[in-house]
Structure formats: C-alpha cells, structure tokens
Amino acid sequence: MEMEQLYKEAQTLSTAKLRDDIVQQLYERSHQLCREGITYTKSKRDTRTEKLDAFLTSPIFGFPIMIAILGLIFYITIAGANVPSSMLAEFFGSLEKYITSVFTYLHAPDWLNGILVLGLYRGTTWVISVMLPPMAIFFPTFALLENYGYLPRVAFNLDRIFKKVGAHGKQSLTMAMGFGCNAAAVISTRIIESPRERMLAILTNNFVPCNGRWGTLIVLASLFMAANFTNGVKSLVTTGVIVGIVLFGILVTFFVSWALSKTALRGIPTHYTLELPPYRRPKIFDTVIRSSVTKSWSVLVRAVKVAAPAAILTWVFANIYIGDTSILMYAVNFLDPFGKLLGLDGYIMMAFILGLPANEIVFPILLMGYLSTGALTEVDSMSDLRNILVNHGWTWLTALNMMLFSLLHYPCGTTLINIYKETKSIKWTFVSFAIPTVIAIIVPLVITQTVKYLGLI
C-alpha cells in the first residue's frame, strides 16, 4: 500500500521537479553522513568560504552582487583605458610623420603610400590603440575573479535560469569567455557534455560583446549617452550604459535559448554537479599576469592579422572610381535606404559588411567613409570625433542603434570558422549567422519606428 502511494505521488511530479528532489535528497544525505563521520577542527574548517557563499550565492543578494562586480570591472576598464589609448594614438600619429617622410624621400608613388600608410598603417594602429589598453585592464581583473574562485559562483547563480530556458548551467562559463573572444567561447563549449545543450551555447554565445566590440560600445556610450557629463561622472554614466547593453545581450541569450529549446533543439536540460572551490588568494604573477599577457597578445595578433588586409581593401574601394563615384560610395548609396529604416545609414551598414573579418575595424572603416578622404583619417580628440558623427546626422538614437546592432549582429569571420569546425555542419553555421542577424535587424527597426511614432526625435 505504501509503495502504491509513493508511485502515485511520483506520477504527479514533473520530471524536472523529480530530478531536483533527487539531487536535493542526495546532497542532504551526504551532508548528514559527513556530519556524523567527520570531525572538523576549528582551524581547518573554512568558515570564510561559507560566510561569503551565504551572500555571493544567495537567491536574494547573488544577482545584485554579480551586476555590481560586472559594473566595477567595466568602470575600471573604461576609466583606466582612456589615457593609455590617447598616448598610443599620439605615439603612432607622430611615428606616421617619419614613415611618410621616408616615402617622400624615396619618391614612392601616391598609391603605394596610400595603401601602406593611409590604409595598412592607420588601420592596424587604430586597432592597437583602441584594443590594447582595455584588454590590458579587462583580462587581469577578470583573471583575478577566476583565480579567486568567484566564476564558479557565477555559474551556480545562473544555473537555475539556464535550466528554466532549457540550457545548461555551464553555458554561463562559456558566456563569460565570450567577453574576451567569441571564437574562444565557441571552443570552450566543449565542457558541455550534452550535444543539444552545447549547440545552444554555440548558437547564442555571440550575444555578449567580445573584445572587438568593446571599443565601439565604449566610444559611442561616452560620446552620446554620457555627453553632458565630465570626469568621473562621465565614466560612471558610460559604465551604466555598457552594463545595460551587456544585460540586454544576456536577456537575448536567455530568450533565444528558450525559443530554440522549444523548437529546433527540444530536450530536457541535464543536471550536473558543480564543485564550488574555496576562495583563494590570487597568485598575481603566475596566474594573472602571465595568463593576461598571453590572452591580450593572442587576441591582438589575431585582430591585426585581420585588420591589415581589411584596411588595405577599404582604401582600394574608396580610391577606385567608376565615373565620378568610388566603389565604396556605390555600395553606401545602395545600402542607405535599408540603413535609414533601422535608424542607421549606408555608411554604417557598409562598415559592418567590410568588418565581417573582425569587429575591431568597423569604426575605423566608418570614419573613413564619412570623411571621404580615402584614408583612415586621424582624429585629434573625442570632441572632433563627435563633431564628425553629428555633422553626418547622428543623434543619440543613431548611437543607440549602432550599439545594439554591434552587440547583436552576426559573428565575426574567425568565430564562424570555429563554429563550422566544432559543428562540422554548414547548416548550423548558417543558423549561427542568421539568428543574430535577424535579431540585430528587428531590434533597431522596432526602436526606430517606435521613437519616430512617439515623436521623441
């Protein structure tokens, strides 16, 4: 009779609830056995970890603390990168004068100077100036959290949400990897054993901004969203905007994961046991510095390798004319109606298309198109940069739409190649391109038409 009653009760439980109850009972039983069979001395018991976890993994405080730590990392990155970025830009600008003098002395033809200096040199040095300082700050601070033992707590906190949307808790770790490089995040999905849940992680990893998009997001947030503020307050407002953009990308990740788990990738989320390591004092030199230098250097080398030929190609397109119009302008005029529909313009759409190899080169290409000089033109200050954009019809809505399009659009060329290598499928590689592209079109379209309908601009 008792067995029949238990069987009836089990039938009324959902599969997910039943699994959660089993895991909970196993945990409580093992904890009871430990209490009965193991005696802890006061010196050996890690009370500090228990006290910290009471807050850091709390259902109430866990998420606000996560957002606050994320904001702190972004604030340190944004505030700390401004000065070294300017210094690098000035250094490369002064060095360019000497390089140009050498070309002049050798009587080099204008086209050679244009390709090598105005295209190749300025394109790659822009990437270095914009990317290197944020990377040199972001990677060490992120490595500190990883080495201290906080990232497993992030996975623990997000596990409940990923289960609800049909994904795997380990996806939070691959998502965190995407903040550095989406291509690396695709490879890191190997830690997910379930093929279905691994595919979910691969298809949605692009919705967190990689290092190549940080430059564009930070510059636009600073120029338009925080334009009326100065000094520390400006960095604080910029940080708030960036955190909001990142959180929106994470919400899109949850939504797309839920939609796919209900349609093309149906299935029950698997459970896993996550061991929370004790908090440790970070080994500054061995772990933080070495890993940060390695990551920064590898990402920078990849960006420069891609930016160099893209900069040359852009210069060529901007300087080859058919009639009295360059190839670049033909493309811009063709794309302009579609761009205006999204609150952007043809120059922006062209920059994203040419920036497919690497997100780092989108903004330099955009500047080159606006200035119509056939070169990646130098900008002496942030105010000059803002004036250039405003003179071409930019408003806060244009900046917001470009930030959202940059956040949501298709993966870069390297990431797409990695997706194909990991999935061995042209179909899923195309899906990984199509899903973010469609979302990147819909979101700015809805925002632009809503703002115009309400008469807010």
Side-chain angles (χ1 to χ4, degrees):
M1 188 68 179
E2 185 178 349
M3 291 297 295
E4 291 180 4
Q5 184 179 358
L6 290 174
Y7 178 74
K8 290 179 180 179
E9 290 178 359
Q11 281 186 318
T12 61
L13 296 173
S14 66
T15 304
K17 179 67 167 58
L18 186 60
R19 291 189 180 194
D20 286 341
D21 287 344
I22 292 173
V23 172
Q24 180 68 22
Q25 291 295 325
L26 288 173
Y27 174 79
E28 290 179 356
R29 180 57 177 162
S30 62
H31 195 58
Q32 179 187 355
L33 292 174
C34 287
R35 286 198 311 267
E36 294 174 355
I38 301 175
T39 302
Y40 293 97
T41 61
K42 190 173 182 179
S43 59
K44 287 186 177 180
R45 185 166 181 175
D46 192 357
T47 56
R48 183 186 66 167
T49 295
E50 294 179 3
K51 290 178 180 178
L52 286 174
D53 280 345
F55 288 96
L56 297 180
T57 63
S58 165
I60 300 175
F61 302 109
F63 284 97
I65 292 174
M66 282 170 47
I67 295 173
I69 291 176
L70 183 68
L72 179 62
I73 292 176
F74 291 153
Y75 180 81
I76 294 172
T77 301
I78 292 168
N82 290 333
V83 174
S85 289
S86 300
M87 292 175 64
L88 280 173
E90 291 176 6
F91 169 74
F92 288 127
S94 61
L95 189 60
E96 180 185 329
K97 297 176 183 178
Y98 295 102
I99 297 175
T100 303
S101 299
V102 172
F103 274 80
T104 303
Y105 177 78
L106 296 175
H107 302 288
D110 291 339
W111 64 266
L112 184 62
N113 179 74
I115 290 177
L116 296 182
V117 179
L118 304 182
L120 175 62
Y121 178 81
R122 285 189 178 177
T124 53
T125 54
W126 174 282
V127 169
I128 294 172
S129 300
V130 171
M131 284 187 59
L132 184 57
M135 279 194 304
I137 298 172
F138 180 80
F139 282 137
T141 53
F142 207 77
L144 277 171
L145 292 180
E146 181 180 7
N147 193 229
Y148 187 65
Y150 180 67
L151 288 190
R153 274 77 186 175
V154 173
F156 179 87
N157 289 333
L158 293 176
D159 180 55
R160 292 186 294 270
I161 299 179
F162 276 112
K163 279 183 183 178
K164 288 181 180 179
V165 299
H168 198 285
K170 287 184 181 178
Q171 187 173 334
S172 61
L173 298 176
T174 66
M175 185 173 64
M177 181 72 73
F179 284 121
C181 177
N182 291 145
V186 170
I187 297 175
S188 72
T189 59
R190 294 173 184 176
I191 66 175
I192 302 175
E193 294 82 4
S194 166
R196 183 191 73 86
E197 291 166 341
R198 187 183 177 209
M199 186 62 70
L200 281 175
I202 289 174
L203 295 179
T204 59
N205 96 94
N206 184 66
F207 294 121
V208 293
C210 65
N211 194 75
R213 288 177 275 179
W214 285 127
T216 300
L217 296 177
I218 292 172
V219 167
L220 293 182
S222 177
L223 290 180
F224 287 89
M225 309 306 173
N228 298 324
F229 302 92
T230 57
N231 302 325
V233 178
K234 185 171 186 177
S235 297
L236 194 62
V237 173
T238 304
T239 299
V241 173
I242 297 299
V243 170
I245 291 290
V246 171
L247 292 178
F248 180 74
I250 294 174
L251 289 176
V252 173
T253 299
F254 291 147
F255 173 76
V256 175
S257 296
W258 173 81
L260 288 173
S261 67
K262 298 296 182 182
T263 53
L265 294 171
R266 292 189 187 92
I268 299 172
T270 59
H271 292 254
Y272 77 106
T273 302
L274 176 64
E275 180 183 358
L276 297 180
Y279 295 100
R280 304 181 184 91
R281 180 178 298 175
K283 297 178 181 178
I284 302 296
F285 181 78
D286 291 340
T287 302
V288 178
I289 296 179
R290 285 183 180 177
S291 65
S292 301
V293 169
T294 302
K295 289 178 183 177
S296 299
W297 179 252
S298 62
V299 174
L300 186 63
V301 168
R302 182 191 71 84
V304 170
K305 284 181 179 179
V306 177
I312 293 175
L313 185 65
T314 305
W315 186 91
V316 171
F317 283 167
N319 286 273
I320 294 180
Y321 286 77
I322 299 176
D324 58 350
T325 306
S326 67
I327 295 177
L328 187 68
M329 285 306 303
Y330 275 112
V332 167
N333 293 334
F334 174 76
L335 293 169
D336 196 59
F338 179 69
K340 291 289 176 60
L341 194 64
L342 306 184
L344 305 171
D345 61 31
Y347 290 98
I348 299 173
M349 303 308 298
M350 190 67 217
F352 277 110
I353 292 173
L354 292 178
L356 173 63
N359 292 303
E360 297 84 357
I361 60 176
V362 170
F363 209 72
I365 291 174
L366 176 63
L367 282 181
M368 180 177 122
Y370 279 153
L371 295 169
S372 301
T373 60
L376 293 173
T377 305
E378 293 178 288
V379 179
D380 294 331
S381 65
M382 293 292 281
S383 60
D384 291 340
L385 179 57
R386 189 177 192 280
N387 289 335
I388 292 170
L389 299 177
V390 170
N391 290 338
H392 283 84
W394 275 54
T395 63
W396 64 268
L397 181 61
T398 314
L400 176 62
N401 285 332
M402 182 166 178
M403 292 171 70
L404 290 172
F405 194 90
S406 178
L407 171 75
L408 302 172
H409 80 296
Y410 46 80
C412 70
T414 305
T415 304
L416 288 172
I417 291 172
N418 279 4
I419 291 173
Y420 177 74
K421 288 181 178 178
E422 295 297 313
T423 62
K424 301 293 190 296
S425 169
I426 295 178
K427 181 189 80 170
W428 287 115
T429 304
F430 174 76
V431 170
S432 70
F433 177 90
I435 290 176
T437 302
V438 171
I439 294 175
I441 291 173
I442 291 175
V443 172
L445 176 64
V446 171
I447 291 176
T448 299
Q449 300 310 314
T450 301
V451 168
K452 287 182 178 179
Y453 178 78
L454 296 175
L456 299 177
I457 195 169

